[in-house]
Amino acid sequence: MTGQRRVLDGSLAEAGSVALIPGGTSGLGLATAKRLADGGVFPVLLGRSPERGKLALEHLDGRGAFVPADVADEQGVNAALDVAERHGPLRVVVNCAGTAHAARTVGRDGPMPLRDFQAVMATDLVGTFNVTRLAAERMARLDPVDGQRGVVVNCASVAAYEGQVGQVAYAAAKAGVVGMTLPLARDLAGLRIRVVTVAPGLFETPLTLAAPAELREQFQAHVPHPRRFGRPSEFAALVEHIIANPMLNGETVRLDAALRLPAR
Ligand SMILES: NC(=O)c1ccc[n+]([C@@H]2O[C@H](COP(=O)([O-])OP(=O)(O)OC[C@H]3O[C@@H](n4cnc5c(N)ncnc54)[C@H](O)[C@@H]3O)[C@@H](O)[C@H]2O)c1
């Protein structure tokens, strides 16, 4: 650890702590994994694609582990938690798995298929809860450090507050993540586990880079200052602060450069 930046100083300050990062093979999750690994934390990435997992571990210079699983699957998440526990005390979870689905409630082909709505809910909302409940039970077995056992950071979106045309499923799922932040924090307070949610605005990740350049420029024009997409490293910096600051709990923090999404 000599010369290495310590992420958890002052709070969950054990060297060699482990962070489980669902959705950690790309975008915001991967940037977070890198920042935590640079600070001496061992990241365990959970995702559905083994190819992406391999590439992500290369990006991390091998500092971490990957477990193939779906966030909504109890067995898969438990397998990832087993791996995490083999590498040290699991003090941190950063729920970054998410999927976007753009469709109107009633479109040209009729009502949105219910399964499309349910698929977004399954990953973004049910998956977040599934990982949190199973991870919290493992964290509860740890000895507290400086009065804390661990912290769960969730990822919502500004769409939780200002869902646009075509974002009904995504906005509902993310609003669910915002809505469960306080009751989760209250439920887990007795176990000395904090729960904090970040609601990002627009960030440069595979999720948004998939959109046509013209559409991305339109989106960017709505960002007051700085007028650009956020960098994943800026999201990771906030997660690191949340981990280190024991007074942050039960709250959703917007990270959006003052963006308020218009209807379309
Ligand atoms: N990029 C943005 O502008 C932005 C804005 C607001 C919110 N978000 C949220 O941030 C989070 C991270 O998104 P990102 O921008 O890094 O996109 P991303 O596509 O790079 O990352 C999402 C990750 O989740 C994984 N994933 C999807 N479904 C999964 C499942 N069922 N089980 C396990 N893993 C699954 C994907 O494989 C991917 O690695 C998401 O929850 C997203 O909704 C992103």
Side-chain angles (χ1 to χ4, degrees):
M1 294 290 293
T2 316
Q4 205 168 33
R5 196 170 46 81
R6 288 279 299 282
V7 171
L8 303 176
D9 271 353
S11 54
L12 302 163
E14 282 177 331
S17 287
V18 176
L20 177 70
I21 311 181
T25 58
S26 66
L28 304 182
L30 182 55
T32 303
K34 178 156 189 326
R35 188 161 182 121
L36 295 185
D38 287 349
V41 173
F42 187 88
V44 175
L45 316 179
L46 180 158
R48 289 179 303 186
S49 157
E51 295 79 46
R52 277 187 174 197
K54 191 167 168 277
L55 287 173
L57 289 183
E58 279 171 22
H59 181 77
L60 295 173
D61 299 322
R63 297 169 303 168
F66 168 76
V67 181
D70 188 301
V71 276
D73 176 55
E74 176 163 345
Q75 222 182 334
V77 172
N78 268 325
L81 289 166
D82 291 343
V83 170
E85 286 183 330
R86 281 204 287 279
H87 286 279
L90 174 70
R91 298 285 182 193
V92 176
V93 173
V94 188
N95 275 311
C96 280
T99 176
H101 171 79
R104 293 186 189 209
T105 306
V106 180
R108 286 199 190 92
D109 302 326
M112 181 198 299
L114 202 50
R115 66 175 173 280
D116 291 355
F117 187 89
Q118 287 165 332
V120 178
M121 295 302 265
T123 295
D124 291 55
L125 180 57
V126 179
T128 298
F129 181 69
N130 189 38
V131 172
T132 302
R133 75 187 177 103
L134 296 170
E137 198 257 338
R138 307 288 184 114
M139 284 176 175
R141 301 176 198 161
L142 298 172
D143 290 332
V145 174
D146 206 14
Q148 301 188 71
R149 288 202 169 82
V151 55
V152 177
V153 183
N154 294 325
C155 194
S157 163
V158 293
Y161 306 98
E162 303 114 34
Q164 295 188 293
V165 164
Q167 283 194 316
V168 63
Y170 185 69
K174 294 304 193 185
V177 174
V178 172
M180 71 185 179
T181 301
L182 181 60
L184 278 173
R186 286 173 163 169
D187 276 357
L188 300 177
L191 300 176
R192 308 283 183 266
I193 296 168
R194 290 184 290 124
V195 181
V196 178
T197 295
V198 179
L202 295 170
F203 278 74
E204 234 167 58
T205 69
L207 196 79
T208 49
L209 288 168
E214 199 181 308
L215 190 64
R216 287 168 16 91
E217 271 166 36
Q218 265 178 37
F219 274 134
Q220 192 165 296
H222 296 299
V223 185
H225 176 68
R227 182 156 294 170
R228 61 170 173 81
F229 278 58
R231 299 172 190 125
S233 59
E234 291 162 339
F235 173 89
L238 177 58
V239 173
E240 182 180 310
H241 179 77
I242 290 169
I243 294 168
N245 191 330
M247 286 306 286
L248 272 168
N249 193 13
E251 183 57 291
T252 299
V253 181
R254 289 183 71 126
L255 188 66
D256 62 9
L259 169 69
R260 298 295 178 270
L261 292 172
R264 63 187 78 225

